[in-house]
Amino acid sequence: LFRAYGIKSVIAIFSILSILYFLYRPAPGLTTSKLKSYLPDYKFTSFESGIKKTIEWFEKEYPNVRQ
């Protein structure tokens, strides 16, 4: 990973992932039941799936980013 993207890019990826984890981690006692009652057909994305999709997007789009 370091050789493919460079150390600065890898650090940026992990910084973004840690911020996302902090922002979207479940709070104690907080549930999605009320939201699900308002939006019964909404499909929630798990944290793991969201991170996987983010990394796949980054790997696909990185060559197109201005460097």
Side-chain angles (χ1 to χ4, degrees), residues 7-44:
I7 187 73
K8 289 182 181 180
S9 295
V10 172
I11 290 171
I13 291 170
F14 285 111
S15 297
I16 291 169
L17 293 177
S18 64
I19 291 168
L20 288 173
Y21 177 76
F22 177 77
L23 291 175
Y24 294 104
R25 70 176 187 234
L30 183 63
T31 65
T32 57
S33 59
K34 189 170 186 178
L35 184 57
K36 287 180 181 180
S37 70
Y38 291 121
L39 302 168
D41 297 329
Y42 184 78
K43 184 176 184 259
F44 290 87

PDB file of all heavy atoms in Angstrom, residues 7-44:
ATOM      1  N   ILE A   7       3.492   7.424   1.157  1.00  0.00           N
ATOM      2  CA  ILE A   7       3.216   7.507   2.585  1.00  0.00           C
ATOM      3  C   ILE A   7       2.208   8.609   2.915  1.00  0.00           C
ATOM      4  O   ILE A   7       1.342   8.431   3.760  1.00  0.00           O
ATOM      5  CB  ILE A   7       4.523   7.692   3.391  1.00  0.00           C
ATOM      6  CG1 ILE A   7       4.261   7.606   4.890  1.00  0.00           C
ATOM      7  CG2 ILE A   7       5.193   8.992   3.060  1.00  0.00           C
ATOM      8  CD1 ILE A   7       3.975   6.244   5.375  1.00  0.00           C
ATOM      9  N   LYS A   8       2.282   9.745   2.235  1.00  0.00           N
ATOM     10  CA  LYS A   8       1.355  10.847   2.534  1.00  0.00           C
ATOM     11  C   LYS A   8      -0.085  10.460   2.215  1.00  0.00           C
ATOM     12  O   LYS A   8      -1.002  10.802   2.965  1.00  0.00           O
ATOM     13  CB  LYS A   8       1.745  12.106   1.772  1.00  0.00           C
ATOM     14  CG  LYS A   8       3.001  12.749   2.286  1.00  0.00           C
ATOM     15  CD  LYS A   8       3.325  14.014   1.531  1.00  0.00           C
ATOM     16  CE  LYS A   8       4.607  14.633   2.050  1.00  0.00           C
ATOM     17  NZ  LYS A   8       4.949  15.850   1.333  1.00  0.00           N
ATOM     18  N   SER A   9      -0.286   9.743   1.133  1.00  0.00           N
ATOM     19  CA  SER A   9      -1.638   9.315   0.770  1.00  0.00           C
ATOM     20  C   SER A   9      -2.174   8.295   1.759  1.00  0.00           C
ATOM     21  O   SER A   9      -3.345   8.339   2.135  1.00  0.00           O
ATOM     22  CB  SER A   9      -1.653   8.727  -0.636  1.00  0.00           C
ATOM     23  OG  SER A   9      -1.321   9.718  -1.580  1.00  0.00           O
ATOM     24  N   VAL A  10      -1.337   7.380   2.184  1.00  0.00           N
ATOM     25  CA  VAL A  10      -1.766   6.363   3.142  1.00  0.00           C
ATOM     26  C   VAL A  10      -2.113   7.021   4.475  1.00  0.00           C
ATOM     27  O   VAL A  10      -3.126   6.691   5.101  1.00  0.00           O
ATOM     28  CB  VAL A  10      -0.680   5.279   3.320  1.00  0.00           C
ATOM     29  CG1 VAL A  10      -1.038   4.328   4.448  1.00  0.00           C
ATOM     30  CG2 VAL A  10      -0.497   4.517   2.012  1.00  0.00           C
ATOM     31  N   ILE A  11      -1.304   7.982   4.905  1.00  0.00           N
ATOM     32  CA  ILE A  11      -1.605   8.703   6.139  1.00  0.00           C
ATOM     33  C   ILE A  11      -2.930   9.444   6.001  1.00  0.00           C
ATOM     34  O   ILE A  11      -3.755   9.449   6.917  1.00  0.00           O
ATOM     35  CB  ILE A  11      -0.455   9.664   6.501  1.00  0.00           C
ATOM     36  CG1 ILE A  11       0.770   8.855   6.930  1.00  0.00           C
ATOM     37  CG2 ILE A  11      -0.878  10.635   7.598  1.00  0.00           C
ATOM     38  CD1 ILE A  11       2.018   9.678   7.098  1.00  0.00           C
ATOM     39  N   ALA A  12      -3.161  10.054   4.844  1.00  0.00           N
ATOM     40  CA  ALA A  12      -4.425  10.763   4.608  1.00  0.00           C
ATOM     41  C   ALA A  12      -5.604   9.797   4.674  1.00  0.00           C
ATOM     42  O   ALA A  12      -6.638  10.113   5.273  1.00  0.00           O
ATOM     43  CB  ALA A  12      -4.391  11.462   3.255  1.00  0.00           C
ATOM     44  N   ILE A  13      -5.460   8.615   4.091  1.00  0.00           N
ATOM     45  CA  ILE A  13      -6.538   7.612   4.117  1.00  0.00           C
ATOM     46  C   ILE A  13      -6.863   7.235   5.556  1.00  0.00           C
ATOM     47  O   ILE A  13      -8.029   7.245   5.968  1.00  0.00           O
ATOM     48  CB  ILE A  13      -6.143   6.345   3.328  1.00  0.00           C
ATOM     49  CG1 ILE A  13      -6.067   6.641   1.846  1.00  0.00           C
ATOM     50  CG2 ILE A  13      -7.134   5.215   3.588  1.00  0.00           C
ATOM     51  CD1 ILE A  13      -5.463   5.521   1.038  1.00  0.00           C
ATOM     52  N   PHE A  14      -5.842   6.916   6.342  1.00  0.00           N
ATOM     53  CA  PHE A  14      -6.083   6.504   7.722  1.00  0.00           C
ATOM     54  C   PHE A  14      -6.620   7.645   8.566  1.00  0.00           C
ATOM     55  O   PHE A  14      -7.409   7.425   9.480  1.00  0.00           O
ATOM     56  CB  PHE A  14      -4.834   5.880   8.337  1.00  0.00           C
ATOM     57  CG  PHE A  14      -4.587   4.485   7.833  1.00  0.00           C
ATOM     58  CD1 PHE A  14      -3.515   4.204   7.009  1.00  0.00           C
ATOM     59  CD2 PHE A  14      -5.448   3.452   8.157  1.00  0.00           C
ATOM     60  CE1 PHE A  14      -3.304   2.932   6.524  1.00  0.00           C
ATOM     61  CE2 PHE A  14      -5.242   2.168   7.688  1.00  0.00           C
ATOM     62  CZ  PHE A  14      -4.168   1.903   6.867  1.00  0.00           C
ATOM     63  N   SER A  15      -6.218   8.864   8.263  1.00  0.00           N
ATOM     64  CA  SER A  15      -6.764  10.015   8.987  1.00  0.00           C
ATOM     65  C   SER A  15      -8.251  10.152   8.712  1.00  0.00           C
ATOM     66  O   SER A  15      -9.051  10.362   9.629  1.00  0.00           O
ATOM     67  CB  SER A  15      -6.041  11.292   8.572  1.00  0.00           C
ATOM     68  OG  SER A  15      -4.693  11.228   8.925  1.00  0.00           O
ATOM     69  N   ILE A  16      -8.625  10.015   7.449  1.00  0.00           N
ATOM     70  CA  ILE A  16     -10.039  10.111   7.074  1.00  0.00           C
ATOM     71  C   ILE A  16     -10.833   8.977   7.716  1.00  0.00           C
ATOM     72  O   ILE A  16     -11.922   9.194   8.255  1.00  0.00           O
ATOM     73  CB  ILE A  16     -10.196  10.109   5.542  1.00  0.00           C
ATOM     74  CG1 ILE A  16      -9.634  11.406   4.968  1.00  0.00           C
ATOM     75  CG2 ILE A  16     -11.645   9.912   5.132  1.00  0.00           C
ATOM     76  CD1 ILE A  16      -9.484  11.401   3.469  1.00  0.00           C
ATOM     77  N   LEU A  17     -10.285   7.780   7.679  1.00  0.00           N
ATOM     78  CA  LEU A  17     -10.987   6.631   8.268  1.00  0.00           C
ATOM     79  C   LEU A  17     -11.173   6.805   9.772  1.00  0.00           C
ATOM     80  O   LEU A  17     -12.231   6.473  10.307  1.00  0.00           O
ATOM     81  CB  LEU A  17     -10.233   5.335   7.979  1.00  0.00           C
ATOM     82  CG  LEU A  17     -10.194   4.897   6.523  1.00  0.00           C
ATOM     83  CD1 LEU A  17      -9.363   3.635   6.369  1.00  0.00           C
ATOM     84  CD2 LEU A  17     -11.584   4.701   5.961  1.00  0.00           C
ATOM     85  N   SER A  18     -10.167   7.349  10.456  1.00  0.00           N
ATOM     86  CA  SER A  18     -10.310   7.537  11.901  1.00  0.00           C
ATOM     87  C   SER A  18     -11.344   8.613  12.211  1.00  0.00           C
ATOM     88  O   SER A  18     -12.109   8.490  13.167  1.00  0.00           O
ATOM     89  CB  SER A  18      -8.967   7.879  12.543  1.00  0.00           C
ATOM     90  OG  SER A  18      -8.486   9.111  12.065  1.00  0.00           O
ATOM     91  N   ILE A  19     -11.401   9.656  11.388  1.00  0.00           N
ATOM     92  CA  ILE A  19     -12.425  10.686  11.576  1.00  0.00           C
ATOM     93  C   ILE A  19     -13.806  10.103  11.336  1.00  0.00           C
ATOM     94  O   ILE A  19     -14.740  10.345  12.106  1.00  0.00           O
ATOM     95  CB  ILE A  19     -12.159  11.888  10.653  1.00  0.00           C
ATOM     96  CG1 ILE A  19     -10.902  12.635  11.112  1.00  0.00           C
ATOM     97  CG2 ILE A  19     -13.359  12.829  10.611  1.00  0.00           C
ATOM     98  CD1 ILE A  19     -10.394  13.649  10.123  1.00  0.00           C
ATOM     99  N   LEU A  20     -13.948   9.315  10.271  1.00  0.00           N
ATOM    100  CA  LEU A  20     -15.237   8.689   9.984  1.00  0.00           C
ATOM    101  C   LEU A  20     -15.654   7.764  11.110  1.00  0.00           C
ATOM    102  O   LEU A  20     -16.825   7.743  11.506  1.00  0.00           O
ATOM    103  CB  LEU A  20     -15.175   7.906   8.663  1.00  0.00           C
ATOM    104  CG  LEU A  20     -15.107   8.745   7.404  1.00  0.00           C
ATOM    105  CD1 LEU A  20     -14.864   7.849   6.200  1.00  0.00           C
ATOM    106  CD2 LEU A  20     -16.357   9.564   7.223  1.00  0.00           C
ATOM    107  N   TYR A  21     -14.711   7.002  11.640  1.00  0.00           N
ATOM    108  CA  TYR A  21     -15.039   6.113  12.752  1.00  0.00           C
ATOM    109  C   TYR A  21     -15.520   6.925  13.951  1.00  0.00           C
ATOM    110  O   TYR A  21     -16.511   6.577  14.584  1.00  0.00           O
ATOM    111  CB  TYR A  21     -13.846   5.254  13.145  1.00  0.00           C
ATOM    112  CG  TYR A  21     -14.151   4.383  14.336  1.00  0.00           C
ATOM    113  CD1 TYR A  21     -14.929   3.244  14.193  1.00  0.00           C
ATOM    114  CD2 TYR A  21     -13.715   4.724  15.606  1.00  0.00           C
ATOM    115  CE1 TYR A  21     -15.247   2.455  15.273  1.00  0.00           C
ATOM    116  CE2 TYR A  21     -14.024   3.944  16.704  1.00  0.00           C
ATOM    117  CZ  TYR A  21     -14.788   2.809  16.535  1.00  0.00           C
ATOM    118  OH  TYR A  21     -15.106   2.032  17.602  1.00  0.00           O
ATOM    119  N   PHE A  22     -14.821   7.999  14.255  1.00  0.00           N
ATOM    120  CA  PHE A  22     -15.203   8.835  15.390  1.00  0.00           C
ATOM    121  C   PHE A  22     -16.592   9.434  15.188  1.00  0.00           C
ATOM    122  O   PHE A  22     -17.409   9.465  16.099  1.00  0.00           O
ATOM    123  CB  PHE A  22     -14.180   9.952  15.592  1.00  0.00           C
ATOM    124  CG  PHE A  22     -14.539  10.896  16.697  1.00  0.00           C
ATOM    125  CD1 PHE A  22     -14.345  10.529  18.019  1.00  0.00           C
ATOM    126  CD2 PHE A  22     -15.090  12.132  16.420  1.00  0.00           C
ATOM    127  CE1 PHE A  22     -14.687  11.390  19.041  1.00  0.00           C
ATOM    128  CE2 PHE A  22     -15.430  13.003  17.438  1.00  0.00           C
ATOM    129  CZ  PHE A  22     -15.231  12.630  18.758  1.00  0.00           C
ATOM    130  N   LEU A  23     -16.879   9.893  13.974  1.00  0.00           N
ATOM    131  CA  LEU A  23     -18.165  10.537  13.706  1.00  0.00           C
ATOM    132  C   LEU A  23     -19.324   9.551  13.672  1.00  0.00           C
ATOM    133  O   LEU A  23     -20.442   9.898  14.056  1.00  0.00           O
ATOM    134  CB  LEU A  23     -18.109  11.292  12.379  1.00  0.00           C
ATOM    135  CG  LEU A  23     -17.225  12.522  12.354  1.00  0.00           C
ATOM    136  CD1 LEU A  23     -17.162  13.089  10.939  1.00  0.00           C
ATOM    137  CD2 LEU A  23     -17.725  13.573  13.327  1.00  0.00           C
ATOM    138  N   TYR A  24     -19.087   8.343  13.180  1.00  0.00           N
ATOM    139  CA  TYR A  24     -20.191   7.412  12.954  1.00  0.00           C
ATOM    140  C   TYR A  24     -20.208   6.216  13.891  1.00  0.00           C
ATOM    141  O   TYR A  24     -20.978   5.290  13.686  1.00  0.00           O
ATOM    142  CB  TYR A  24     -20.176   6.947  11.496  1.00  0.00           C
ATOM    143  CG  TYR A  24     -20.462   8.078  10.559  1.00  0.00           C
ATOM    144  CD1 TYR A  24     -19.457   8.681   9.818  1.00  0.00           C
ATOM    145  CD2 TYR A  24     -21.745   8.595  10.451  1.00  0.00           C
ATOM    146  CE1 TYR A  24     -19.723   9.740   8.978  1.00  0.00           C
ATOM    147  CE2 TYR A  24     -22.021   9.657   9.613  1.00  0.00           C
ATOM    148  CZ  TYR A  24     -21.006  10.224   8.880  1.00  0.00           C
ATOM    149  OH  TYR A  24     -21.279  11.278   8.058  1.00  0.00           O
ATOM    150  N   ARG A  25     -19.386   6.235  14.915  1.00  0.00           N
ATOM    151  CA  ARG A  25     -19.434   5.122  15.870  1.00  0.00           C
ATOM    152  C   ARG A  25     -20.744   5.194  16.660  1.00  0.00           C
ATOM    153  O   ARG A  25     -21.276   6.288  16.895  1.00  0.00           O
ATOM    154  CB  ARG A  25     -18.237   5.156  16.801  1.00  0.00           C
ATOM    155  CG  ARG A  25     -18.293   6.306  17.756  1.00  0.00           C
ATOM    156  CD  ARG A  25     -17.155   6.268  18.746  1.00  0.00           C
ATOM    157  NE  ARG A  25     -17.429   7.318  19.706  1.00  0.00           N
ATOM    158  CZ  ARG A  25     -16.597   8.276  20.027  1.00  0.00           C
ATOM    159  NH1 ARG A  25     -15.419   8.300  19.474  1.00  0.00           N
ATOM    160  NH2 ARG A  25     -16.942   9.193  20.890  1.00  0.00           N
ATOM    161  N   PRO A  26     -21.271   4.072  17.044  1.00  0.00           N
ATOM    162  CA  PRO A  26     -22.531   4.100  17.796  1.00  0.00           C
ATOM    163  C   PRO A  26     -22.324   4.717  19.177  1.00  0.00           C
ATOM    164  O   PRO A  26     -21.379   4.383  19.886  1.00  0.00           O
ATOM    165  CB  PRO A  26     -22.934   2.635  17.906  1.00  0.00           C
ATOM    166  CG  PRO A  26     -21.834   1.836  17.343  1.00  0.00           C
ATOM    167  CD  PRO A  26     -20.820   2.740  16.748  1.00  0.00           C
ATOM    168  N   ALA A  27     -23.192   5.614  19.538  1.00  0.00           N
ATOM    169  CA  ALA A  27     -23.138   6.223  20.861  1.00  0.00           C
ATOM    170  C   ALA A  27     -23.829   5.292  21.860  1.00  0.00           C
ATOM    171  O   ALA A  27     -24.777   4.592  21.499  1.00  0.00           O
ATOM    172  CB  ALA A  27     -23.834   7.572  20.840  1.00  0.00           C
ATOM    173  N   PRO A  28     -23.381   5.276  23.095  1.00  0.00           N
ATOM    174  CA  PRO A  28     -24.013   4.413  24.102  1.00  0.00           C
ATOM    175  C   PRO A  28     -25.499   4.752  24.260  1.00  0.00           C
ATOM    176  O   PRO A  28     -25.865   5.912  24.420  1.00  0.00           O
ATOM    177  CB  PRO A  28     -23.250   4.722  25.385  1.00  0.00           C
ATOM    178  CG  PRO A  28     -21.997   5.389  24.956  1.00  0.00           C
ATOM    179  CD  PRO A  28     -22.273   6.021  23.637  1.00  0.00           C
ATOM    180  N   GLY A  29     -26.331   3.748  24.190  1.00  0.00           N
ATOM    181  CA  GLY A  29     -27.762   3.942  24.368  1.00  0.00           C
ATOM    182  C   GLY A  29     -28.487   4.455  23.139  1.00  0.00           C
ATOM    183  O   GLY A  29     -29.708   4.567  23.136  1.00  0.00           O
ATOM    184  N   LEU A  30     -27.746   4.764  22.088  1.00  0.00           N
ATOM    185  CA  LEU A  30     -28.368   5.288  20.874  1.00  0.00           C
ATOM    186  C   LEU A  30     -28.730   4.130  19.948  1.00  0.00           C
ATOM    187  O   LEU A  30     -27.910   3.265  19.679  1.00  0.00           O
ATOM    188  CB  LEU A  30     -27.415   6.231  20.153  1.00  0.00           C
ATOM    189  CG  LEU A  30     -27.933   6.927  18.906  1.00  0.00           C
ATOM    190  CD1 LEU A  30     -29.106   7.836  19.266  1.00  0.00           C
ATOM    191  CD2 LEU A  30     -26.832   7.729  18.276  1.00  0.00           C
ATOM    192  N   THR A  31     -29.969   4.110  19.489  1.00  0.00           N
ATOM    193  CA  THR A  31     -30.384   3.063  18.561  1.00  0.00           C
ATOM    194  C   THR A  31     -30.968   3.705  17.311  1.00  0.00           C
ATOM    195  O   THR A  31     -31.274   4.891  17.282  1.00  0.00           O
ATOM    196  CB  THR A  31     -31.459   2.142  19.178  1.00  0.00           C
ATOM    197  OG1 THR A  31     -32.630   2.921  19.407  1.00  0.00           O
ATOM    198  CG2 THR A  31     -30.966   1.547  20.487  1.00  0.00           C
ATOM    199  N   THR A  32     -31.124   2.900  16.286  1.00  0.00           N
ATOM    200  CA  THR A  32     -31.689   3.390  15.033  1.00  0.00           C
ATOM    201  C   THR A  32     -33.177   3.076  14.927  1.00  0.00           C
ATOM    202  O   THR A  32     -33.775   3.298  13.881  1.00  0.00           O
ATOM    203  CB  THR A  32     -30.952   2.753  13.843  1.00  0.00           C
ATOM    204  OG1 THR A  32     -31.041   1.341  13.958  1.00  0.00           O
ATOM    205  CG2 THR A  32     -29.502   3.182  13.797  1.00  0.00           C
ATOM    206  N   SER A  33     -33.779   2.595  15.994  1.00  0.00           N
ATOM    207  CA  SER A  33     -35.180   2.163  15.923  1.00  0.00           C
ATOM    208  C   SER A  33     -36.120   3.318  15.552  1.00  0.00           C
ATOM    209  O   SER A  33     -37.053   3.121  14.765  1.00  0.00           O
ATOM    210  CB  SER A  33     -35.616   1.527  17.235  1.00  0.00           C
ATOM    211  OG  SER A  33     -35.469   2.443  18.301  1.00  0.00           O
ATOM    212  N   LYS A  34     -35.890   4.513  16.082  1.00  0.00           N
ATOM    213  CA  LYS A  34     -36.763   5.640  15.750  1.00  0.00           C
ATOM    214  C   LYS A  34     -36.615   6.012  14.279  1.00  0.00           C
ATOM    215  O   LYS A  34     -37.599   6.242  13.580  1.00  0.00           O
ATOM    216  CB  LYS A  34     -36.451   6.838  16.642  1.00  0.00           C
ATOM    217  CG  LYS A  34     -37.459   7.952  16.506  1.00  0.00           C
ATOM    218  CD  LYS A  34     -37.257   9.005  17.577  1.00  0.00           C
ATOM    219  CE  LYS A  34     -38.358  10.034  17.515  1.00  0.00           C
ATOM    220  NZ  LYS A  34     -38.222  11.035  18.575  1.00  0.00           N
ATOM    221  N   LEU A  35     -35.368   6.053  13.798  1.00  0.00           N
ATOM    222  CA  LEU A  35     -35.137   6.352  12.394  1.00  0.00           C
ATOM    223  C   LEU A  35     -35.762   5.290  11.503  1.00  0.00           C
ATOM    224  O   LEU A  35     -36.372   5.603  10.481  1.00  0.00           O
ATOM    225  CB  LEU A  35     -33.644   6.465  12.126  1.00  0.00           C
ATOM    226  CG  LEU A  35     -33.222   6.871  10.719  1.00  0.00           C
ATOM    227  CD1 LEU A  35     -33.856   8.212  10.327  1.00  0.00           C
ATOM    228  CD2 LEU A  35     -31.724   6.944  10.609  1.00  0.00           C
ATOM    229  N   LYS A  36     -35.629   4.023  11.895  1.00  0.00           N
ATOM    230  CA  LYS A  36     -36.227   2.936  11.117  1.00  0.00           C
ATOM    231  C   LYS A  36     -37.749   3.043  11.083  1.00  0.00           C
ATOM    232  O   LYS A  36     -38.377   2.659  10.104  1.00  0.00           O
ATOM    233  CB  LYS A  36     -35.809   1.575  11.673  1.00  0.00           C
ATOM    234  CG  LYS A  36     -34.370   1.241  11.375  1.00  0.00           C
ATOM    235  CD  LYS A  36     -34.002  -0.113  11.956  1.00  0.00           C
ATOM    236  CE  LYS A  36     -32.562  -0.460  11.683  1.00  0.00           C
ATOM    237  NZ  LYS A  36     -32.183  -1.752  12.225  1.00  0.00           N
ATOM    238  N   SER A  37     -38.354   3.567  12.138  1.00  0.00           N
ATOM    239  CA  SER A  37     -39.807   3.718  12.137  1.00  0.00           C
ATOM    240  C   SER A  37     -40.245   4.792  11.139  1.00  0.00           C
ATOM    241  O   SER A  37     -41.311   4.706  10.551  1.00  0.00           O
ATOM    242  CB  SER A  37     -40.325   4.043  13.537  1.00  0.00           C
ATOM    243  OG  SER A  37     -39.945   5.348  13.921  1.00  0.00           O
ATOM    244  N   TYR A  38     -39.406   5.824  10.940  1.00  0.00           N
ATOM    245  CA  TYR A  38     -39.725   6.876   9.968  1.00  0.00           C
ATOM    246  C   TYR A  38     -39.370   6.470   8.540  1.00  0.00           C
ATOM    247  O   TYR A  38     -40.018   6.897   7.586  1.00  0.00           O
ATOM    248  CB  TYR A  38     -38.970   8.163  10.307  1.00  0.00           C
ATOM    249  CG  TYR A  38     -39.452   8.846  11.561  1.00  0.00           C
ATOM    250  CD1 TYR A  38     -38.583   9.075  12.613  1.00  0.00           C
ATOM    251  CD2 TYR A  38     -40.769   9.260  11.702  1.00  0.00           C
ATOM    252  CE1 TYR A  38     -39.007   9.696  13.772  1.00  0.00           C
ATOM    253  CE2 TYR A  38     -41.204   9.885  12.858  1.00  0.00           C
ATOM    254  CZ  TYR A  38     -40.324  10.103  13.884  1.00  0.00           C
ATOM    255  OH  TYR A  38     -40.742  10.721  15.028  1.00  0.00           O
ATOM    256  N   LEU A  39     -38.311   5.672   8.393  1.00  0.00           N
ATOM    257  CA  LEU A  39     -37.843   5.241   7.075  1.00  0.00           C
ATOM    258  C   LEU A  39     -37.741   3.719   7.031  1.00  0.00           C
ATOM    259  O   LEU A  39     -36.642   3.151   7.007  1.00  0.00           O
ATOM    260  CB  LEU A  39     -36.466   5.854   6.783  1.00  0.00           C
ATOM    261  CG  LEU A  39     -36.371   7.368   6.812  1.00  0.00           C
ATOM    262  CD1 LEU A  39     -34.926   7.817   6.797  1.00  0.00           C
ATOM    263  CD2 LEU A  39     -37.119   7.974   5.640  1.00  0.00           C
ATOM    264  N   PRO A  40     -38.869   3.016   6.994  1.00  0.00           N
ATOM    265  CA  PRO A  40     -38.825   1.547   7.104  1.00  0.00           C
ATOM    266  C   PRO A  40     -38.124   0.856   5.935  1.00  0.00           C
ATOM    267  O   PRO A  40     -37.599  -0.247   6.106  1.00  0.00           O
ATOM    268  CB  PRO A  40     -40.301   1.155   7.171  1.00  0.00           C
ATOM    269  CG  PRO A  40     -41.044   2.297   6.590  1.00  0.00           C
ATOM    270  CD  PRO A  40     -40.217   3.525   6.857  1.00  0.00           C
ATOM    271  N   ASP A  41     -38.068   1.480   4.769  1.00  0.00           N
ATOM    272  CA  ASP A  41     -37.448   0.837   3.607  1.00  0.00           C
ATOM    273  C   ASP A  41     -35.980   1.198   3.432  1.00  0.00           C
ATOM    274  O   ASP A  41     -35.324   0.716   2.516  1.00  0.00           O
ATOM    275  CB  ASP A  41     -38.216   1.207   2.330  1.00  0.00           C
ATOM    276  CG  ASP A  41     -39.649   0.700   2.363  1.00  0.00           C
ATOM    277  OD1 ASP A  41     -39.883  -0.351   2.979  1.00  0.00           O
ATOM    278  OD2 ASP A  41     -40.521   1.372   1.782  1.00  0.00           O
ATOM    279  N   TYR A  42     -35.453   2.070   4.275  1.00  0.00           N
ATOM    280  CA  TYR A  42     -34.063   2.507   4.157  1.00  0.00           C
ATOM    281  C   TYR A  42     -33.131   1.380   4.568  1.00  0.00           C
ATOM    282  O   TYR A  42     -33.317   0.740   5.593  1.00  0.00           O
ATOM    283  CB  TYR A  42     -33.807   3.732   5.033  1.00  0.00           C
ATOM    284  CG  TYR A  42     -32.421   4.284   4.880  1.00  0.00           C
ATOM    285  CD1 TYR A  42     -32.081   5.053   3.787  1.00  0.00           C
ATOM    286  CD2 TYR A  42     -31.438   4.023   5.830  1.00  0.00           C
ATOM    287  CE1 TYR A  42     -30.812   5.562   3.633  1.00  0.00           C
ATOM    288  CE2 TYR A  42     -30.166   4.522   5.693  1.00  0.00           C
ATOM    289  CZ  TYR A  42     -29.858   5.289   4.598  1.00  0.00           C
ATOM    290  OH  TYR A  42     -28.584   5.786   4.449  1.00  0.00           O
ATOM    291  N   LYS A  43     -32.108   1.130   3.732  1.00  0.00           N
ATOM    292  CA  LYS A  43     -31.131   0.081   4.028  1.00  0.00           C
ATOM    293  C   LYS A  43     -29.869   0.743   4.576  1.00  0.00           C
ATOM    294  O   LYS A  43     -29.207   1.507   3.891  1.00  0.00           O
ATOM    295  CB  LYS A  43     -30.805  -0.707   2.767  1.00  0.00           C
ATOM    296  CG  LYS A  43     -29.886  -1.865   3.028  1.00  0.00           C
ATOM    297  CD  LYS A  43     -29.673  -2.678   1.768  1.00  0.00           C
ATOM    298  CE  LYS A  43     -28.836  -3.880   2.095  1.00  0.00           C
ATOM    299  NZ  LYS A  43     -27.456  -3.740   1.735  1.00  0.00           N
ATOM    300  N   PHE A  44     -29.571   0.460   5.828  1.00  0.00           N
ATOM    301  CA  PHE A  44     -28.393   1.022   6.460  1.00  0.00           C
ATOM    302  C   PHE A  44     -27.142   0.304   5.980  1.00  0.00           C
ATOM    303  O   PHE A  44     -27.163  -0.883   5.705  1.00  0.00           O
ATOM    304  CB  PHE A  44     -28.500   0.896   7.986  1.00  0.00           C
ATOM    305  CG  PHE A  44     -29.535   1.806   8.578  1.00  0.00           C
ATOM    306  CD1 PHE A  44     -30.853   1.410   8.680  1.00  0.00           C
ATOM    307  CD2 PHE A  44     -29.186   3.069   9.016  1.00  0.00           C
ATOM    308  CE1 PHE A  44     -31.812   2.248   9.219  1.00  0.00           C
ATOM    309  CE2 PHE A  44     -30.132   3.917   9.548  1.00  0.00           C
ATOM    310  CZ  PHE A  44     -31.453   3.511   9.651  1.00  0.00           C
TER     311      PHE A  44
END
